[in-house]
């Protein structure tokens, strides 16, 4: 009979921390035990021959006292004991590949030793073989092997007990029951070990799968946010181009009747075209779906920093106290950059409404200079009470903010503050030229 075993995670398997497998780090003792088991398992995988040879040698070492007794004329002769020890221990070298066959061989050698009334001291090899049977084969095969082991143990106890005086022979049933229970415990230990290994492998596979799914969700969220940004940029560019077309139509007539007015209009067209070209360059890293208005009317511009006051009023209507501090010429920024800053502030305030107490205080600070724009949204907490749970979202807000900042060569950091609330800190490049290629996330897609 052969048994198939499911291999554990090999050296090439993805590495998962024990904290991930145990779903948290608050169980320090469990994590320590798991780390020790992982190190032991890895050492066993790195040196497969060590355990294979050490166990048979240990069983053979247990037979040394029997060899010494045989040399002193006690029990069977030395050659007989030596042959039996070798017959017990050598099959253990193949105990993992052929567990049932090795158990059968060691059981046969044990029966021969009992027939010859030879005490070898190496009968622990039969217990080792039974342990590997419990770790490897199906429950039905394990039950058959366990029955054989219990019967053989009982017979050996009875046979050896018959040679004892009557008062000791009366203890034979108790001894047989105890030894049979120990044999059954060994088989159960092998079975439990197999179940635990299977469970750990399942936990490992699940943790790896969850990490892969988490990364996939992050990539999908980033792609969706890029598509959203691209659609909004499309609206801005559409509005700009509509303005250019209208101005160009008027400039054609003004060049004849009012040359100076026509020249001024052409300069406006040139400035608008340069702004649109800069926005188009920023869209090289963003791929999204185009969107047209249903009625074919020109596309309206997306909100900018001039629309922050209505946004803050809506937030104040929900309960929080919101203050706005500005510095620099914010309204002179490019429309796309204004939209990015506006969306970051909007998403930060939305998160405040979701997770902070309704009576919290929020400070919004916007500053700009010749090279950068700095936006900070800070609430003073506290968090929502347990009886007033926050709405559950998809967790894409921070991803979207980072994507918008990366489009303009910036970054976003978010985390708790000393006041018990939350702070979002965003930086954008204010230069009119597009950011270097490495600052904008890129994504290759098939044509």
């Amino acid at each position: 009979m052969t048994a198939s075993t499911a291999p554990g995670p090999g050296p090439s398997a993805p590495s998962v921390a024990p904290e991930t497998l145990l779903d948290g780090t608050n169980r320090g003792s469990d994590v320590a035990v798991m780390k020790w088991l992982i190190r032991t398992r890895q050492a066993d995988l790195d040196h497969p021959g060590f355990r294979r040879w050490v166990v048979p040698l240990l069983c053979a070492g247990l037979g040394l006292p029997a060899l010494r007794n045989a040399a002193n004329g006690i029990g069977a002769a030395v050659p007989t004991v030596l042959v039996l020890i070798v017959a017990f221990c050598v099959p253990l070298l193949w105990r993992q590949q052929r567990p049932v066959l090795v158990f059968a061989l060691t059981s046969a050698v044990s029966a021969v030793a009992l027939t010859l009334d030879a005490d070898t001291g190496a009968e622990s090899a039969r217990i080792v073989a039974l342990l590997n049977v419990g770790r490897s084969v199906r429950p039905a095969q394990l039950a058959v092997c366990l029955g054989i082991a219990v019967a053989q143990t009982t017979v050996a106890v009875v046979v050896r007990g018959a040679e004892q005086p009557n008062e000791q022979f009366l203890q034979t049933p108790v001894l047989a029951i105890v030894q049979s229970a120990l044999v059954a415990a060994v088989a159960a230990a092998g079975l439990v070990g197999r179940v635990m290994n299977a469970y750990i492998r399942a936990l490992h596979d699940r943790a790896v799968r969850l990490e892969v799914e988490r990364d996939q969700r992050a990539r999908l969220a980033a792609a969706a946010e890029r598509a959203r940004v691209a659609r909004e940029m499309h609206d801005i560019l559409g509005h700009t181009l509509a303005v250019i077309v209208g101005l160009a139509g008027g400039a054609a007539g003004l060049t004849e009747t009012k040359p100076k007015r026509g020249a001024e209009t052409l300069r406006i067209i040139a400035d608008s075209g340069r702004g649109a070209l800069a926005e188009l360059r920023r869209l090289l890293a963003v791929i999204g779906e185009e969107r047209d208005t249903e009625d074919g009317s020109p596309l309206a511009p997306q909100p900018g920093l001039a629309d922050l006051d209505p946004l803050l009023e809506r937030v104040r209507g929900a309960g929080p106290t919101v203050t706005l501090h500005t510095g620099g010429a914010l309204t002179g920024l490019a429309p796309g950059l204004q939209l990015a800053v506006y969306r970051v502030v909007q998403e930060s305030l939305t998160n405040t409404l979701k997770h902070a107490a309704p009576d919290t205080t929020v400070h919004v600070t916007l500053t700009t200079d010749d090279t950068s724009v700095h936006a900070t949204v800070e609430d003073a907490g506290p968090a929502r009470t347990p009886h007033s749970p926050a709405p559950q979202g998809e967790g894409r807000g921070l991803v979207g903010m980072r994507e918008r900042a990366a489009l303009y060569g910036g970054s976003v950091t978010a985390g708790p503050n000393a006041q018990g609330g939350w702070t979002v800190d965003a930086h954008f490049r204010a230069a009119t030229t597009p950011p270097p290629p490495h600052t904008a996330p890129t994504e290759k897609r098939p044509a």
Side-chain angles (χ1 to χ4, degrees):
M1 288 184 292
T2 60
S4 60
T5 59
S12 61
S15 177
V16 179
E19 293 85 352
T20 304
L21 290 176
L22 294 176
D23 192 26
T25 59
N26 56 338
R27 294 179 288 180
S29 59
D30 295 342
V31 172
V33 172
M34 179 67 76
K35 288 182 177 180
W36 179 81
L37 291 175
I38 290 176
R39 287 195 299 267
T40 303
R41 175 64 175 166
Q42 190 60 44
D44 187 31
L45 293 174
D46 294 339
H47 307 283
F50 180 79
R51 181 162 56 97
R52 181 187 178 189
W53 286 93
V54 165
V55 173
L57 290 176
L58 288 177
C59 293
L62 295 177
L64 293 178
L67 282 174
R68 185 181 58 200
N69 293 336
N72 294 332
I74 302 174
V78 173
T80 302
V81 175
L82 185 59
V83 169
L84 290 174
I85 292 175
V86 172
F88 267 125
C89 299
V90 171
L92 293 181
L93 296 174
W94 294 274
R95 64 188 181 278
Q96 291 183 325
Q97 293 85 353
R98 295 290 185 269
V100 177
L101 178 60
V102 171
F103 173 76
L105 292 175
T106 54
S107 298
V109 174
S110 179
V112 171
L114 182 61
T115 303
L116 298 176
D117 194 19
D119 184 12
T120 63
E123 290 199 2
S124 57
R126 186 166 61 92
I127 303 302
V128 173
L130 180 61
L131 178 65
N132 278 272
V133 168
R135 296 176 58 184
S136 305
V137 305
R138 294 186 296 271
Q141 293 175 301
L142 176 60
V144 173
C145 295
L146 177 59
I148 294 174
V150 170
Q152 196 169 24
T153 300
T154 303
V155 171
V157 171
V158 172
V159 170
R160 288 191 170 92
E163 301 174 357
Q164 303 298 327
N166 291 335
E167 59 275 7
Q168 295 183 2
F169 181 74
L170 295 176
Q171 301 175 358
T172 299
V174 177
L175 184 60
I177 292 174
V178 171
Q179 291 194 8
S180 298
L182 293 176
V183 170
V186 169
L191 181 60
V192 170
R194 181 178 64 179
V195 172
M196 291 301 298
N197 286 334
Y199 181 66
I200 292 174
R201 285 195 299 270
L203 286 177
H204 183 276
D205 294 341
R206 180 176 180 271
V208 171
R209 185 172 63 255
L210 289 177
E211 288 190 348
V212 172
E213 292 176 354
R214 180 199 62 193
D215 295 340
Q216 290 176 345
R217 285 195 299 270
R219 288 193 294 269
L220 289 174
E225 191 60 34
R226 291 174 188 174
R228 178 184 172 189
V229 172
R231 288 194 298 269
E232 292 178 346
M233 287 295 187
H234 172 273
D235 291 352
I236 292 175
L237 294 175
H239 175 76
T240 304
L241 292 176
V243 172
I244 290 175
V245 171
L247 290 174
L254 291 174
T255 53
E256 298 179 357
T257 59
K258 298 180 180 179
K260 292 184 179 180
R261 181 78 177 273
E264 182 181 354
T265 304
L266 291 176
R267 283 193 292 271
I268 295 175
I269 292 174
D271 292 339
S272 300
R274 280 192 292 269
L277 183 60
E279 297 298 338
L280 283 173
R281 289 175 178 172
R282 295 188 187 280
L283 284 175
L284 292 177
V286 181
I287 300 176
E289 300 174 359
E290 294 187 356
R291 182 185 59 182
D292 298 324
T293 56
E294 296 180 359
D295 57 359
S297 59
L299 296 171
Q302 292 289 337
L305 296 182
D307 301 295
L308 279 177
D309 287 335
L311 172 64
L312 300 184
E313 286 299 326
R314 291 195 298 269
V315 175
R316 293 187 185 105
T321 301
V322 185
T323 61
L324 175 63
H325 307 278
T326 61
L330 294 172
T331 56
L333 300 175
L337 180 56
Q338 289 195 41
L339 173 63
V341 177
Y342 178 91
R343 292 302 188 196
V344 168
V345 174
Q346 182 184 44
E347 183 64 34
S348 301
L349 293 174
T350 301
N351 289 337
T352 298
L353 293 176
K354 288 181 179 179
H355 303 291
D359 57 348
T360 187
T361 300
V362 186
H363 300 285
V364 180
T365 304
L366 299 177
T367 58
T368 183
D369 52 31
D370 294 336
T371 60
S372 64
V373 179
H374 182 202
T376 302
V377 180
E378 181 179 28
D379 68 78
R384 280 180 177 266
T385 56
H387 63 272
S388 180
Q392 297 298 320
E394 297 182 2
R396 298 183 179 180
L398 187 57
V399 174
M401 288 189 284
R402 286 173 175 165
E403 288 293 329
R404 293 179 186 278
L407 189 62
Y408 287 89
S411 62
V412 174
T413 58
N417 54 41
Q419 300 175 350
W422 198 263
T423 299
V424 176
D425 197 11
H427 293 268
F428 304 82
R429 281 167 34 107
T432 57
T433 57
H438 68 275
T439 61
T442 60
E443 182 174 322
K444 295 182 179 180
R445 296 189 180 182

